[in-house]
Amino acid sequence: MGQFEDFDFSDADFSQRDIADKSINDLYVESKMTTFRLYLMTSKKQRDGGESAIDDPDSSGGEELPDPQLTNVHVEVASEIATVSSEDPLSISFDCMPDHTTEDNSAAATLASTLSLENVTSEEVVTISDAPAGSILLDIQNYMYDPEIEFEPSQVFGNQDETLPASVCVKNLVIRRGSVFTDVMKFFLKEEFNLRTDTLELRILTERGEDSGGVFRDAMSEFWETFYLKHTEGADVKIPTTVHIMKQEEREAVAKPLVLCFKQEKYLPVQLSRMFLEKCIFDTAPSNEELLESFLGFLPDMDRGLIKDALDNFDGVDENELLDAFSNFNLRVYPSKDNFESL
């Protein structure tokens, strides 16, 4: 319909009434609707005399283009030649042009019209530097020589399966509120799921909601809360436990939701011990200081305060209280000032 500058834009409601001066809250109160839709309205700018901008024959937004009057012109673009035939001025062939330009005759006419028709002689070569400002030639140059696009040299790898892009597969899973952990675990134990290429979309039974990230995060929050409750121990820091009710393949299957949560939604169960996660992911050995910090987070608040006080001043802590705290860990070595930190 014309150039962007030839139009005015405004927000409107369903009745095409301009609502730019109202807030979202005002609109909801006024309409008394649970869902309120906004629309983008466009109108032609009016010039003096009531004539719209795009009705002006001299406006650049018109569809009429000047008839090119060229004989035979070669346009050189980075060693590639574009030829304008005298028989068909609108027939231009570019070996390195994008598809949408070669198929559009208007682009060819624009190219022809941007050249200096009076000064171009037969068989004359016009380079990029000679093109006028705003010429399609400069657009071609920018298209082919975008500084933000870089191509690395091609390489041949040994395992082609790891380098070739695989097709993305979206798998759907219907889960039940209150049984998310069970449903997700059954899915990963039975279904083939490629963590590199596959994505998972969740739908909660009896609840309407399109999974654009929110449903997935909500469901996985319940998944990890159940995992914390049933299969970990600890206060602020959770340590996974190997209990008889969870088989080895089930414990290993928990790794897939862990990776998938972070891959899709950058969701990480932060209550799991950092030492545990680093060991699983990077196979690193924590230092004694890191282990002590993680252990203190594992303890209940009362025992944590007692242990911290004993580390700072062992003689100032009640011995019986200290023994009670350590009895939960089946400690068989009597604590003293010298061995307390290592214990």
Side-chain angles (χ1 to χ4, degrees):
M1 297 299 297
Q3 301 295 323
F4 177 86
E5 295 79 9
D6 296 337
F7 293 87
D8 290 321
F9 299 87
S10 60
D11 297 322
D13 60 9
F14 69 95
S15 62
Q16 302 184 16
R17 179 171 56 94
D18 194 329
I19 54 175
D21 57 339
K22 295 181 179 293
S23 67
I24 297 295
N25 182 70
D26 294 338
L27 296 172
Y28 269 105
V29 172
E30 179 180 324
S31 64
K32 298 181 177 60
M33 299 174 65
T34 56
T35 302
F36 190 85
R37 298 185 182 275
L38 301 179
Y39 298 88
L40 181 64
M41 300 292 295
T42 60
S43 58
K44 302 174 185 178
K45 290 183 179 179
Q46 299 295 325
R47 292 184 176 179
D48 295 339
E51 184 184 48
S52 66
I54 66 171
D55 293 334
D56 186 357
D58 296 330
S59 172
S60 60
E63 297 183 1
E64 294 296 329
L65 294 172
D67 296 328
Q69 301 294 330
L70 300 179
T71 54
N72 201 15
V73 179
H74 295 286
V75 182
E76 185 176 32
V77 183
S79 76
E80 298 289 348
I81 303 300
T83 303
V84 182
S85 172
S86 59
E87 298 178 358
D88 185 4
L90 297 185
S91 176
I92 302 181
S93 61
F94 276 91
D95 294 335
C96 56
M97 281 288 287
D99 294 338
H100 67 275
T101 304
T102 58
E103 297 175 358
D104 191 352
N105 286 340
S106 64
T110 306
L111 170 64
S113 64
T114 55
L115 301 177
S116 177
L117 304 183
E118 298 179 357
N119 300 326
V120 175
T121 61
S122 178
E123 302 295 334
E124 183 175 352
V125 173
V126 181
T127 63
I128 290 295
S129 59
D130 299 324
S135 169
I136 192 175
L137 296 181
L138 299 181
D139 293 339
I140 298 170
Q141 181 191 38
N142 294 335
Y143 181 92
M144 293 189 297
Y145 301 100
D146 191 335
E148 297 183 0
I149 301 177
E150 297 182 0
F151 295 92
E152 296 291 339
S154 60
Q155 302 179 16
V156 178
F157 296 92
N159 189 353
Q160 295 296 325
D161 293 337
E162 296 185 359
T163 59
L164 295 177
S167 58
V168 177
C169 178
V170 179
K171 296 191 176 183
N172 297 278
L173 174 62
V174 179
I175 55 179
R176 298 163 296 168
R177 180 74 72 182
S179 301
V180 174
F181 182 82
T182 304
D183 295 339
V184 172
M185 288 298 295
K186 286 182 179 179
F187 173 81
F188 283 107
L189 284 170
K190 295 180 179 180
E191 295 287 334
E192 290 291 334
F193 192 89
N194 191 328
L195 287 171
R196 288 188 173 185
T197 59
D198 297 350
T199 59
L200 183 64
E201 287 190 0
L202 300 179
R203 184 168 65 87
I204 301 177
L205 191 65
T206 72
E207 294 184 18
R208 298 181 61 184
E210 184 177 348
D211 189 3
S212 58
V215 176
F216 184 91
R217 289 191 297 269
D218 184 25
M220 297 316 295
S221 295
E222 181 181 328
F223 176 91
W224 289 111
E225 287 297 331
T226 305
F227 181 77
Y228 290 150
L229 182 64
K230 290 186 175 182
H231 303 291
T232 65
E233 293 181 0
D236 295 341
V237 173
K238 303 293 186 181
I239 306 294
T241 56
T242 54
V243 292
H244 67 281
I245 61 174
M246 198 175 193
K247 300 178 181 179
Q248 179 178 347
E249 57 269 21
E250 293 175 325
R251 294 198 297 270
E252 293 175 349
V254 174
K256 289 189 176 181
L258 177 67
V259 175
L260 188 65
C261 283
F262 187 78
K263 176 188 173 184
Q264 285 192 205
E265 297 297 332
K266 295 298 182 287
Y267 182 108
L268 191 68
V270 294
Q271 280 191 276
L272 287 178
S273 169
R274 184 166 60 89
M275 301 299 99
F276 168 76
L277 291 176
E278 288 184 359
K279 181 64 177 176
C280 291
I281 300 172
F282 305 109
D283 195 23
T284 57
S287 64
N288 289 337
E289 291 76 11
E290 291 174 326
L291 282 174
L292 180 58
E293 178 185 358
S294 182
F295 177 68
L296 290 175
F298 171 81
L299 295 174
D301 291 338
M302 184 178 297
D303 291 345
R304 185 188 311 160
L306 184 64
I307 299 298
K308 285 184 177 181
D309 292 341
L311 288 170
D312 297 335
N313 182 16
F314 184 82
D315 296 330
V317 177
D318 184 88
E319 181 178 348
N320 292 328
E321 292 182 359
L322 194 60
L323 290 175
D324 289 340
F326 271 81
S327 64
N328 296 326
F329 305 103
N330 298 322
L331 186 65
R332 291 178 171 81
V333 179
Y334 195 86
S336 65
K337 183 177 181 179
D338 297 330
N339 68 359
F340 183 70
E341 183 172 347
S342 61
L343 290 180

